[in-house]
Amino acid sequence: MPANYKIKCEAIEVKSDSGYCPGSAKCRVGETYTIGPRTPDPPMCGRAFHAIHPMALAMRFSDTMVCEKPPGQMEVACPDGFVVFRLSRITKS
């Protein structure tokens, strides 16, 4: 059976003095989302999701990718560069 993982997406850095993304979604460090077949849960910033989705989709359907550092994780920034998200493959149910 091919891989079909859920992906944990966590805001690990917000580049603003307030600690909140200056965009309309007001994302902050520690916010966590699950990306799977019905995504994301809970809802997240649409611009950030658009940037994250290609890498999260690739992680969902593969066991490993060359760009993962460390294995099973990668970091993706939102289009505005204010928030950095860590994507992690969830390997347990």
Side-chain angles (χ1 to χ4, degrees), residues 42-86:
M44 71 184 298
C45 171
R47 290 173 54 85
F49 182 71
H50 184 75
I52 290 164
H53 184 261
M55 299 314 283
L57 183 67
M59 287 181 76
R60 282 194 60 221
F61 295 106
S62 64
D63 290 320
T64 187
M65 292 172 41
V66 182
C67 53
E68 294 177 4
K69 295 196 173 70
Q73 294 183 355
M74 70 174 57
E75 294 179 5
V76 179
C78 74
D80 298 317
F82 290 114
V83 183
V84 177
F85 296 91
R86 177 179 298 129

